[in-house]
Coordinates of all heavy atoms in Angstrom, one line a residue:
D1 N -21.0 63.0 25.9 CA -21.1 64.4 25.8 C -22.4 64.9 26.5 O -22.4 65.9 27.2 CB -21.1 65.0 24.4 CG -19.7 64.9 23.8 OD1 -18.7 64.8 24.5 OD2 -19.6 64.9 22.5
D2 N -23.5 64.2 26.2 CA -24.8 64.6 26.9 C -24.7 64.3 28.4 O -25.2 65.2 29.2 CB -25.9 63.8 26.3 CG -26.3 64.3 24.9 OD1 -25.9 65.4 24.5 OD2 -27.0 63.6 24.1
A3 N -24.1 63.3 28.8 CA -24.0 63.0 30.2 C -23.2 64.1 30.9 O -23.6 64.6 31.9 CB -23.3 61.6 30.4
R4 N -22.0 64.4 30.3 CA -21.2 65.5 30.9 C -21.9 66.8 31.0 O -21.9 67.5 32.0 CB -19.9 65.7 30.1 CG -18.9 66.6 30.7 CD -17.7 66.9 29.9 NE -18.1 67.6 28.7 CZ -17.9 67.1 27.5 NH1 -17.3 65.9 27.3 NH2 -18.3 67.8 26.4
R5 N -22.7 67.1 29.9 CA -23.4 68.4 29.9 C -24.5 68.4 31.0 O -24.6 69.4 31.7 CB -24.0 68.6 28.5 CG -24.4 70.0 28.1 CD -24.8 70.2 26.7 NE -25.1 69.0 25.8 CZ -24.2 68.4 25.0 NH1 -23.0 68.9 24.9 NH2 -24.6 67.4 24.3
L6 N -25.2 67.3 31.1 CA -26.3 67.3 32.2 C -25.7 67.4 33.6 O -26.2 68.1 34.4 CB -27.1 66.0 32.0 CG -28.0 65.9 30.9 CD1 -28.6 64.5 30.7 CD2 -29.2 66.9 31.1
I7 N -24.6 66.7 33.7 CA -23.9 66.7 35.1 C -23.4 68.1 35.4 O -23.5 68.6 36.5 CB -22.8 65.6 35.2 CG1 -23.4 64.2 35.2 CG2 -21.9 65.8 36.4 CD1 -22.5 63.1 35.0
Q8 N -22.7 68.7 34.4 CA -22.2 70.1 34.6 C -23.3 71.1 34.9 O -23.1 72.0 35.7 CB -21.4 70.5 33.4 CG -20.0 69.8 33.3 CD -19.3 70.1 32.0 OE1 -19.8 70.3 31.0 NE2 -17.9 70.0 32.2
M9 N -24.4 70.9 34.2 CA -25.6 71.8 34.5 C -26.1 71.6 35.9 O -26.4 72.6 36.6 CB -26.7 71.6 33.5 CG -26.3 72.2 32.1 SD -27.6 72.1 30.8 CE -28.9 71.1 31.4
K10 N -26.2 70.4 36.3 CA -26.6 70.1 37.7 C -25.7 70.6 38.7 O -26.1 71.2 39.7 CB -26.8 68.5 37.8 CG -27.2 68.1 39.2 CD -28.6 68.5 39.6 CE -29.0 67.9 40.9 NZ -29.9 68.7 41.6
L11 N -24.4 70.4 38.5 CA -23.4 71.0 39.5 C -23.5 72.5 39.5 O -23.4 73.0 40.6 CB -22.0 70.5 39.0 CG -21.7 69.0 39.2 CD1 -20.4 68.7 38.5 CD2 -21.7 68.6 40.6
A12 N -23.6 73.1 38.4 CA -23.8 74.6 38.4 C -25.0 75.0 39.1 O -25.0 76.0 39.9 CB -23.7 75.1 37.0
G13 N -26.1 74.3 38.8 CA -27.4 74.7 39.5 C -27.3 74.5 41.0 O -28.0 75.2 41.8
D14 N -26.5 73.5 41.4 CA -26.4 73.3 42.9 C -25.3 74.2 43.5 O -25.1 74.1 44.7 CB -26.0 71.8 43.1 CG -27.1 70.8 42.9 OD1 -28.3 71.3 42.7 OD2 -26.9 69.6 42.8
G15 N -24.6 75.0 42.7 CA -23.6 75.9 43.2 C -22.3 75.2 43.6 O -21.6 75.8 44.5
V16 N -22.0 74.1 43.1 CA -20.8 73.4 43.4 C -19.8 73.2 42.3 O -18.8 72.5 42.4 CB -21.1 72.1 44.2 CG1 -21.8 72.3 45.5 CG2 -21.9 71.1 43.3
A17 N -20.1 73.7 41.1 CA -19.3 73.5 39.9 C -17.9 74.0 40.1 O -16.9 73.4 39.5 CB -19.9 74.2 38.7
Q18 N -17.7 75.0 41.0 CA -16.3 75.5 41.2 C -15.4 74.5 41.9 O -14.2 74.6 41.9 CB -16.3 76.8 42.0 CG -16.7 76.6 43.5 CD -18.2 76.6 43.8 OE1 -19.0 76.4 42.9 NE2 -18.5 76.7 45.0
H19 N -16.0 73.4 42.5 CA -15.2 72.4 43.1 C -14.7 71.3 42.2 O -14.1 70.3 42.6 CB -16.0 71.8 44.3 CG -16.3 72.8 45.4 ND1 -15.3 73.4 46.2 CD2 -17.4 73.4 45.7 CE1 -15.9 74.2 47.0 NE2 -17.2 74.2 46.8
V20 N -15.2 71.3 40.9 CA -14.9 70.2 40.0 C -13.9 70.7 38.9 O -14.2 71.8 38.3 CB -16.2 69.7 39.4 CG1 -15.9 68.6 38.4 CG2 -17.2 69.3 40.4
T21 N -12.9 70.0 38.7 CA -11.9 70.3 37.6 C -12.1 69.2 36.5 O -12.1 68.0 36.8 CB -10.5 70.3 38.1 OG1 -10.4 71.2 39.1 CG2 -9.5 70.6 37.0
W22 N -12.3 69.7 35.3 CA -12.5 68.8 34.2 C -11.3 68.7 33.2 O -10.7 69.7 33.0 CB -13.8 69.2 33.3 CG -15.0 69.1 34.1 CD1 -15.6 70.0 34.9 CD2 -15.9 68.0 34.1 NE1 -16.8 69.5 35.4 CE2 -17.0 68.3 34.9 CE3 -15.9 66.7 33.5 CZ2 -18.0 67.4 35.1 CZ3 -16.9 65.9 33.7 CH2 -18.0 66.2 34.5
N23 N -11.0 67.5 32.8 CA -10.0 67.3 31.7 C -10.7 66.4 30.7 O -10.6 65.1 30.9 CB -8.7 66.7 32.3 CG -7.7 66.5 31.3 OD1 -7.8 67.0 30.2 ND2 -6.6 65.9 31.7
G24 N -11.3 67.0 29.7 CA -12.2 66.2 28.8 C -13.3 65.6 29.6 O -14.1 66.3 30.3
N25 N -13.5 64.3 29.6 CA -14.5 63.6 30.4 C -14.0 63.1 31.7 O -14.8 62.5 32.4 CB -15.1 62.5 29.6 CG -16.0 63.0 28.5 OD1 -16.5 64.1 28.5 ND2 -16.3 62.1 27.5
R26 N -12.8 63.3 32.0 CA -12.3 62.9 33.4 C -12.5 64.2 34.3 O -12.4 65.3 33.9 CB -10.8 62.6 33.3 CG -10.6 61.3 32.6 CD -9.3 60.6 32.9 NE -9.0 60.4 34.3 CZ -9.6 59.5 35.1 NH1 -10.5 58.7 34.6 NH2 -9.3 59.4 36.4
F27 N -12.8 63.9 35.6 CA -13.0 65.0 36.5 C -12.5 64.6 37.9 O -12.3 63.5 38.3 CB -14.5 65.2 36.6 CG -15.4 64.0 37.0 CD1 -15.6 63.8 38.4 CD2 -15.9 63.2 36.1 CE1 -16.3 62.7 38.8 CE2 -16.6 62.1 36.5 CZ -16.8 61.8 37.8
T28 N -12.2 65.7 38.6 CA -11.7 65.6 40.0 C -12.5 66.7 40.8 O -12.6 67.8 40.4 CB -10.2 65.9 40.2 OG1 -9.5 65.0 39.4 CG2 -9.8 65.8 41.6
A29 N -13.2 66.2 41.8 CA -13.9 67.1 42.7 C -13.2 67.1 44.1 O -12.8 66.1 44.6 CB -15.3 66.7 42.9
S30 N -13.0 68.3 44.6 CA -12.2 68.4 45.9 C -12.8 69.5 46.7 O -13.1 70.6 46.2 CB -10.8 68.7 45.5 OG -10.0 68.7 46.7
V31 N -13.0 69.2 48.0 CA -13.4 70.2 49.0 C -12.4 70.2 50.1 O -12.0 69.1 50.6 CB -14.9 69.9 49.5 CG1 -15.3 70.8 50.6 CG2 -15.8 69.8 48.4
G32 N -12.0 71.3 50.6 CA -11.0 71.4 51.7 C -9.7 70.8 51.3 O -9.2 70.0 52.1
W33 N -9.2 71.1 50.1 CA -7.9 70.6 49.6 C -7.9 69.1 49.7 O -6.8 68.4 49.8 CB -6.7 71.2 50.4 CG -6.6 72.6 50.2 CD1 -6.1 73.2 49.1 CD2 -6.9 73.7 51.1 NE1 -6.1 74.6 49.2 CE2 -6.6 74.9 50.4 CE3 -7.5 73.7 52.3 CZ2 -6.8 76.1 51.0 CZ3 -7.7 74.9 52.9 CH2 -7.4 76.1 52.3
G34 N -9.0 68.4 49.5 CA -9.1 67.0 49.5 C -9.2 66.3 50.8 O -9.4 65.1 50.9
F35 N -9.2 67.1 52.0 CA -9.3 66.5 53.3 C -10.7 66.2 53.6 O -11.0 65.2 54.3 CB -8.7 67.4 54.3 CG -7.2 67.6 54.2 CD1 -6.6 68.8 53.8 CD2 -6.4 66.5 54.5 CE1 -5.3 69.0 53.7 CE2 -5.0 66.7 54.4 CZ -4.4 67.9 54.0
I36 N -11.6 67.0 53.2 CA -13.0 66.8 53.5 C -13.6 65.8 52.4 O -14.4 64.9 52.8 CB -13.8 68.1 53.5 CG1 -13.3 69.0 54.6 CG2 -15.3 67.9 53.6 CD1 -13.9 70.4 54.6
L37 N -13.3 66.1 51.2 CA -13.8 65.2 50.1 C -12.9 65.3 48.9 O -12.5 66.4 48.5 CB -15.2 65.7 49.7 CG -15.8 65.1 48.4 CD1 -16.1 63.6 48.6 CD2 -17.0 65.8 48.0
K38 N -12.7 64.1 48.3 CA -12.0 64.1 47.0 C -12.7 62.9 46.2 O -12.8 61.8 46.6 CB -10.5 63.8 47.1 CG -9.8 63.8 45.7 CD -8.3 63.6 45.9 CE -7.7 63.7 44.5 NZ -6.2 63.5 44.6
V39 N -13.1 63.3 44.9 CA -13.7 62.3 44.1 C -13.0 62.4 42.7 O -12.8 63.5 42.2 CB -15.2 62.6 43.9 CG1 -15.8 61.7 42.9 CG2 -15.9 62.6 45.2
V40 N -12.6 61.3 42.2 CA -11.9 61.2 40.9 C -12.8 60.3 40.0 O -13.1 59.2 40.5 CB -10.5 60.8 41.0 CG1 -9.8 60.6 39.6 CG2 -9.7 61.7 41.9
G41 N -13.1 60.7 38.8 CA -13.9 59.8 38.0 C -13.8 60.1 36.5 O -13.0 61.0 36.1

């Protein structure tokens, strides 16, 4: 929970939180419909 909270605050501070979808502690980040970048973790 602390790790997720810190990461979410960092993403928001960097202005990229809108590119990350969370499902509990699982996440997907996508830029350009996944053509430029897709990260699942």
Side-chain angles (χ1 to χ4, degrees):
D1 288 340
D2 286 344
R4 185 184 66 243
R5 200 169 16 262
L6 286 168
I7 290 169
Q8 288 174 328
M9 287 182 352
K10 175 66 174 154
L11 293 169
D14 289 350
V16 296
Q18 73 276 13
H19 297 292
V20 182
T21 303
W22 292 87
N23 183 6
N25 284 344
R26 291 204 50 77
F27 57 89
T28 302
S30 183
V31 176
W33 293 284
F35 292 111
I36 296 173
L37 170 68
K38 182 175 182 183
V39 177
V40 177

